[in-house]
Amino acid sequence: MYDWLDNARLDARIVPYVDRASNSAAALLRDPCRSIAAERRLRELRDEVGGGTVMISRQASPFSSGAIEEGLLRAAQRGVYDFDDALYLPSGGRAARIFPKSKIWRRSVSSADMVIAGNEVLAEHAESLNSSTIVIPSCVEPRDYERKNDYETRDTPRAVWIGSPSTESYLSLIAGPLLRANALHGLRLTVISAGAASFGSLDQMVDRVEWRLESFGRELAAADFGLMPLVDNEWSRGKCAYKLLQYGAAGLPMIGSPVGANREVLSRGDGLAPVSDDEWDNAIETLIGAGVKEREQRGKAAFDVVSTRYSFDAWRGTWLAAVGAN
């Protein structure tokens, strides 16, 4: 959402909850005074937003049953709700049982004047509650990425994965193919993340790089191809292929599980879409063994599809209309 505000050059009042990296119950309870102040501020906002647009991404409060979000969206002249994950699914944990995200999602979708869903799967669920639902995919700004320009074969091939610590576990799905490629070709894997946990058997081939705004683009462009493995379940089918879009913006050939939005991005961007371990073995082998021209063609196809179908430029008019700012 912040990227959209910057890209569209809209003057907006931004109200983060406590402006921290994590809004987990455990993190917030360590500083209850800030959470109390945030809750008070959200309730005061309902009396201040009557003449304008309110846009909520996912949820306004982690200590909500949906009443706060519903109140803000209904109080606004235009209430816009934006989500990019399958929040309608039940979630585990004690806090989630007390403050269920699925209930927040239902009340928010039902109360909004416009719902923005990140893909068709998410939109289908939202449309059952609100016919004013539109699909606007996750977008990237290719100009913010360092584009790969050297597709020469290296003595040590390098794959890359970028993401949050909470999604690092997906790499374990392809541990076998990665380790075999490491043994056969010396493949290394760069992991760009804020995490620090062990990858178990993959530790021998992983090079961790801390995510930094000023350097993540350079680290992507230094790799030979990008990876996005996923398990095929209802939660993953709601994902919006953001990792693949980042690889494409950097001009990287890509390999990903054909799940949810991944399927279309891979198809249009000349990516490889393996399902089984054998197919992952073959996909990795294909990109390691490919000639310079083939890797460059795949990288260019990935860049082109991101630029034309998943960039802010491609969706600016639709997004401005959805938030009532055109």
Side-chain angles (χ1 to χ4, degrees):
M1 185 185 291
Y2 294 164
D3 287 341
W4 265 119
L5 294 175
D6 289 342
N7 188 274
R9 295 181 175 84
L10 291 185
D11 183 18
R13 177 184 177 186
I14 297 172
V15 185
Y17 188 70
V18 294
D19 204 16
R20 284 185 170 175
S22 173
N23 280 342
S24 69
L28 295 171
L29 289 174
R30 286 196 291 268
D31 190 356
C33 290
R34 292 185 70 177
S35 296
I36 292 170
E39 293 292 327
R40 185 184 302 118
R41 183 172 64 248
L42 286 173
R43 285 156 178 82
E44 291 170 349
L45 274 176
R46 284 183 291 196
D47 298 324
E48 303 172 12
V49 299
T53 295
V54 166
M55 188 173 183
I56 294 176
S57 178
R58 300 170 65 91
Q59 65 189 76
S61 166
F63 302 113
S64 172
S65 62
I68 293 171
E69 291 79 3
E70 179 179 349
L72 285 166
L73 291 166
R74 291 195 184 280
Q77 180 177 336
R78 184 176 182 84
V80 181
Y81 180 67
D82 172 274
F83 73 109
D84 60 358
D85 269 321
L87 303 178
Y88 41 81
L89 295 176
S91 51
R94 183 178 302 175
R97 289 194 295 271
I98 300 172
F99 305 108
K101 293 182 185 296
S102 58
K103 188 173 182 179
I104 296 172
W105 177 85
R106 286 194 301 272
R107 294 182 71 167
S108 298
V109 169
S110 299
S111 305
D113 297 300
M114 175 61 68
V115 178
I116 300 175
N119 62 43
E120 296 287 352
V121 172
L122 303 178
E124 183 178 350
H125 286 269
E127 285 171 346
S128 67
L129 298 173
N130 191 327
S131 60
S132 296
T133 296
I134 188 171
V135 175
I136 298 180
S138 292
C139 293
V140 296
E141 175 50 77
R143 289 181 288 263
D144 289 344
Y145 289 75
E146 182 172 329
R147 186 174 175 185
K148 186 173 183 64
N149 55 26
D150 179 9
Y151 293 89
E152 288 286 345
T153 304
R154 302 160 184 251
D155 291 335
T156 302
R158 182 166 295 276
V160 67
W161 181 94
I162 187 169
S164 63
S166 64
T167 57
E168 288 181 0
S169 60
Y170 286 120
L171 284 169
S172 66
L173 298 170
I174 57 169
L178 288 174
L179 288 170
R180 284 189 285 274
N182 172 255
L184 287 170
H185 304 287
L187 178 71
R188 303 293 299 176
L189 173 63
T190 298
V191 172
I192 306 172
S193 170
S198 170
F199 288 101
S201 60
L202 288 174
D203 281 346
Q204 62 180 287
M205 62 176 295
V206 167
D207 300 306
R208 273 197 177 276
V209 175
E210 185 176 356
W211 188 95
R212 295 182 184 278
L213 181 62
E214 65 274 13
S215 61
F216 83 90
R218 182 170 62 252
E219 296 292 346
L220 286 175
D224 295 304
F225 52 91
L227 304 174
M228 188 177 176
L230 285 176
V231 63
D232 189 2
N233 60 23
E234 199 168 359
W235 175 260
S236 294
R237 289 175 211 129
K239 285 186 169 293
C240 294
Y242 195 69
K243 291 177 179 61
L244 295 182
L245 302 185
Q246 292 185 285
Y247 303 149
L252 283 180
M254 48 195 177
I255 309 175
S257 302
V259 177
N262 276 19
R263 188 182 301 275
E264 180 179 345
V265 176
L266 290 165
S267 175
R268 294 181 179 276
D270 200 17
L272 299 172
V275 176
S276 66
D277 268 14
D278 285 347
E279 290 175 356
W280 273 95
D281 283 331
N282 291 336
I284 293 170
E285 186 74 27
T286 293
L287 291 187
I288 291 176
V292 174
K293 186 175 181 180
E294 180 181 344
R295 280 198 297 272
E296 185 174 6
Q297 287 175 338
R298 290 185 183 274
K300 183 180 185 300
F303 180 83
D304 288 346
V305 75
V306 167
S307 299
T308 58
R309 298 185 67 89
Y310 299 97
S311 66
F312 292 110
D313 286 350
W315 288 92
R316 184 179 293 108
T318 305
W319 187 87
L320 288 171
V323 302
N326 58 344

